[in-house]
C-alpha cells in the first residue's frame, strides 16, 4: 500500500462510523492483524494471570473463589493506545481529534464511558479476527480484576504495604495523572493496580454480592473459560 492508501485506511479504522468498512478492506487485501495494528501504531504488552484459588472481597466478607487463567495488559490503557485505535480523546468538556502529543502520551486514558470502552474492545477483537483468531478482548470481571490486583500476594495495596512503592495518589502525585508503569509491579507483573486512575470492569458492585464471587461463578457457568 502506498502512503495515501495507508492514511485513508487508518482514517477509516479510526472513524466512529466507518471502522467496519475499514476492517473489510483490510480483509479484502489480506492484511494480518499484526500488520493492521502496526499501521495504527497500537502497542500492548500482555501477561498471563494464573488461575487457582484466591480470596477476594473486603475484610470480613472475603470469599475463596477458583479462577480460570486469563491474559491481561500489564498497564492500564494509555492515551497513546486509545487514540491509535479510536482517533479521539475527551478533554473533560468535549471530544477532540488526537494530536501528535496524544500518540506519545503514556498516562492512563480517562473520561471514557463504559460504552466507549466496549467499542474499543470490539475493535481490537475484530482486528484479531483478521487472522481467523478466536481472541476476545474484553473488560475483566470485577472478581477477575481483584484477583489480578492481589497478585497472589497478601499486601494492603497491589504489590506492597507501602503505597509509595506501588501507587500514585494525592499525597505523591500533585493531583496529576502519571505515566503508567513507573511504580513497582505486583506479583503478577501488573502496574498501577492501586492508585493513578479508576478502572472499568465488566460488572458493577452489588451490595448483595459484595465480593463479586457469586456473579463470577455465574459468569463462568454461562461463558466457560
Amino acid at each position: 500500500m502506498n502512503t495515501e492508501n495507508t492514511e485513508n485506511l487508518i482514517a477509516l479504522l479510526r472513524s466512529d462510523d466507518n471502522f467496519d468498512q475499514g476492517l473489510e478492506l483490510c480483509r479484502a487485501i489480506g492484511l494480518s492483524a499484526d500488520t493492521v495494528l502496526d499501521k495504527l501504531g497500537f502497542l500492548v504488552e500482555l501477561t498471563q494471570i494464573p488461575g487457582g484459588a484466591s480470596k477476594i472481597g473486603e475484610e470480613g466478607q472475603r470469599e475463596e473463589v477458583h479462577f480460570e487463567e486469563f491474559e491481561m495488559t500489564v498497564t492500564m490503557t494509555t492515551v497513546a493506545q486509545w487514540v491509535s485505535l479510536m482517533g479521539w480523546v475527551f478533554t473533560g468538556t468535549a471530544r477532540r481529534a488526537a494530536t501528535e502529543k496524544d500518540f506519545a502520551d503514556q498516562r492512563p486514558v480517562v473520561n471514557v464511558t463504559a460504552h466507549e470502552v466496549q467499542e474499543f474492545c470490539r475493535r481490537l477483537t475484530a482486528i484479531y479476527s483478521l487472522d481467523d483468531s478466536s481472541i476476545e478482548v474484553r473488560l475483566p470481571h470485577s472478581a477477575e480484576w481483584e484477583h489480578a490486583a492481589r497478585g497472589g500476594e497478601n499486601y494492603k495495596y497491589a504489590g506492597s504495604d507501602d503505597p509509595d512503592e506501588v501507587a500514585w495518589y494525592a499525597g505523591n502525585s500533585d493531583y496529576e495523572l502519571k505515566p503508567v508503569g513507573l511504580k513497582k509491579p505486583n506479583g503478577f507483573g501488573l502496574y498501577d493496580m492501586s492508585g493513578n486512575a479508576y478502572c472499568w470492569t465488566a460488572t458493577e458492585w452489588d451490595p448483595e454480592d459484595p465480593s463479586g464471587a457469586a456473579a463470577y461463578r455465574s459468569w463462568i457457568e454461562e461463558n466457560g473459560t
Side-chain angles (χ1 to χ4, degrees):
M1 296 179 69
N2 61 36
T3 301
E4 182 179 356
N5 287 339
T6 298
E7 289 177 353
N8 289 338
L9 177 60
I10 290 173
L12 288 174
L13 291 171
R14 289 182 180 151
S15 165
D16 283 344
D17 300 320
N18 299 311
F19 170 80
D20 292 318
Q21 179 186 344
L23 187 74
E24 288 310 307
L25 180 57
C26 293
R27 199 181 304 279
I29 59 182
L31 297 182
S32 69
D34 283 346
T35 298
V36 173
L37 293 173
D38 182 64
K39 290 182 182 297
L40 290 169
F42 182 84
L43 298 172
V44 67
E45 182 181 354
L46 300 172
T47 189
Q48 196 77 24
I49 306 301
S54 178
K55 285 190 175 182
I56 63 171
E58 298 293 331
E59 293 298 330
Q61 297 177 316
R62 296 179 68 180
E63 293 186 55
E64 186 170 274
V65 180
H66 184 86
F67 289 90
E68 305 293 333
E69 67 178 16
F70 57 96
E71 285 188 309
M72 195 166 178
T73 59
V74 300
T75 70
M76 290 181 280
T77 299
T78 65
V79 173
Q81 290 169 330
W82 180 268
V83 298
S84 70
L85 201 62
M86 305 297 282
W88 59 267
V89 288
F90 191 81
T91 62
T93 57
R95 280 191 190 188
R96 64 165 172 78
T99 65
E100 183 176 348
K101 184 178 179 180
D102 295 322
F103 286 96
D105 193 339
Q106 296 302 308
R107 295 174 300 171
V109 68
V110 294
N111 295 322
V112 291
T113 67
H115 174 76
E116 289 162 346
V117 173
Q118 294 287 8
E119 174 62 13
F120 178 88
C121 293
R122 184 188 77 85
R123 292 189 186 192
L124 268 181
T125 298
I127 290 171
Y128 285 124
S129 75
L130 292 171
D131 298 336
D132 295 324
S133 168
S134 60
I135 293 174
E136 178 193 5
V137 180
R138 61 174 176 83
L139 287 169
H141 192 285
S142 60
E144 288 176 322
W145 188 92
E146 182 173 340
H147 168 61
R150 291 187 180 279
E153 302 166 318
N154 191 31
Y155 291 120
K156 183 176 181 180
Y157 304 99
S160 177
D161 287 327
D162 179 0
D164 287 309
E165 284 192 323
V166 295
W168 295 108
Y169 61 99
N172 66 3
S173 68
D174 294 324
Y175 296 92
E176 296 177 348
L177 289 171
K178 299 296 184 180
V180 299
L182 297 182
K183 294 288 187 176
K184 173 186 169 185
N186 73 358
F188 292 157
L190 302 173
Y191 295 85
D192 300 295
M193 297 299 280
S194 293
N196 213 0
Y198 288 107
C199 297
W200 282 111
T201 64
T203 46
E204 297 180 359
W205 184 77
D206 182 347
E208 296 185 2
D209 180 27
S211 70
Y216 179 71
R217 293 188 184 104
S218 296
W219 186 83
I220 285 293
E221 289 177 1
E222 294 174 4
N223 298 278
T225 57

